[in-house]
Amino acid sequence: MHASHFDRSAAKPELYETLARSLDALIGDEPDALANLSNAAALIWEALPDINWAGFYVLRGGELVLGPFQGRPACVRIAMGKGVCGTAAANRETLVVPDVQKFPGHIACDEASRSEIVVPLIANGNLVGVLDVDAPNANRFDDDDRAGLERVAALLAQKVRWERI
Ligand code: SME
C-alpha cells in the first residue's frame, strides 16, 4: 500500500495522479486528522522533486498553528492575513508565490525557500488549515502544481475528521 515508487521525473499531471491515488489509498476509512496529515506530508515530500518543505498549518483559536510536516523546523504560529500562509487562509484562495523575496510580508522560516504554494483546506465551508509547500528555486510551482495540490487538499478536507485535531 505504501508508495515508494514515485517516478519523480514523470510529467506533473501524472505525478499528481499517482500522488492523489496513493493518498486516497493510504487514508482508506481512517478519519484521524493527525495521522492522515502526517502521512500526507510524508507522501508529498516523497513524491515531489525540488522542494524543501511540505506540510500543514491548522486553524486553532483563530490562528494558524504548525501541524505535521517534512523539512526543517518552521514557525509555530502565523496570524490570519500574515505571510503567504495567512494571506491564502484569509482569502480562502490558493496562493502561488514565484519569488518569496518579492512577496511583502513573507515569513522566512527557512532561508533556502525561494518559491512557495499555499492551498487553503476548506471542510464543509469552514477553513480548517492550509497546505504549504516550499521550494529552493524561484518559479517552482505552476498551474499543474496548483491543480494537483488542490486535489490533495480536497481529499483531506473531505475525508478527515477535523474537529479532533
Ligand atoms: N513562508 C510561510 C511561512 C511558513 S514556512 O514557509 C514553512 C509564509 O510566509 O507564510
Side-chain angles (χ1 to χ4, degrees):
M1 73 135 182
H2 173 66
S4 53
H5 52 263
F6 287 112
D7 175 7
R8 287 161 149 231
S9 64
K12 284 184 183 181
E14 196 183 316
L15 198 55
Y16 281 110
E17 180 66 32
T18 313
L19 175 58
R21 281 170 192 262
S22 304
L23 181 61
D24 197 31
L26 209 48
I27 297 173
D29 352 316
E30 175 57 62
D32 190 275
L34 188 58
N36 286 325
L37 294 185
S38 301
N39 265 340
L43 211 57
I44 293 167
W45 183 251
E46 198 170 64
L48 301 187
D50 309 317
I51 62 172
N52 65 316
W53 203 88
F56 297 91
Y57 282 86
V58 294
L59 188 65
R60 287 193 179 189
E63 269 188 332
L64 295 170
V65 180
L66 183 64
F69 70 95
Q70 301 277 307
R72 299 195 61 207
C75 329
V76 173
R77 284 179 192 274
I78 299 176
M80 289 294 277
K82 298 289 179 194
V84 184
C85 290
T87 304
N91 296 338
R92 294 175 167 229
E93 247 174 37
T94 300
L95 192 49
V96 176
V97 179
D99 185 347
V100 297
Q101 290 166 4
K102 294 180 183 149
F103 184 90
H106 167 253
I107 302 163
C109 290
D110 184 344
E111 296 284 307
S113 297
R114 273 304 295 283
S115 54
E116 179 163 3
I117 181 167
V118 178
V119 182
L121 300 165
I122 315 275
N124 293 323
N126 300 314
L127 178 83
V128 289
V130 298
L131 164 59
D132 180 13
V133 185
D134 291 12
N137 302 318
N139 301 304
R140 162 67 180 79
F141 304 104
D142 59 16
D143 282 345
D144 286 337
D145 297 290
R146 176 194 293 264
L149 292 172
E150 284 180 349
R151 188 167 164 196
V152 166
L155 248 176
L156 289 165
Q158 273 165 28
K159 295 188 95 175
V160 163
R161 198 184 297 157
W162 291 99
E163 60 272 18
R164 290 185 57 197
I165 196 164

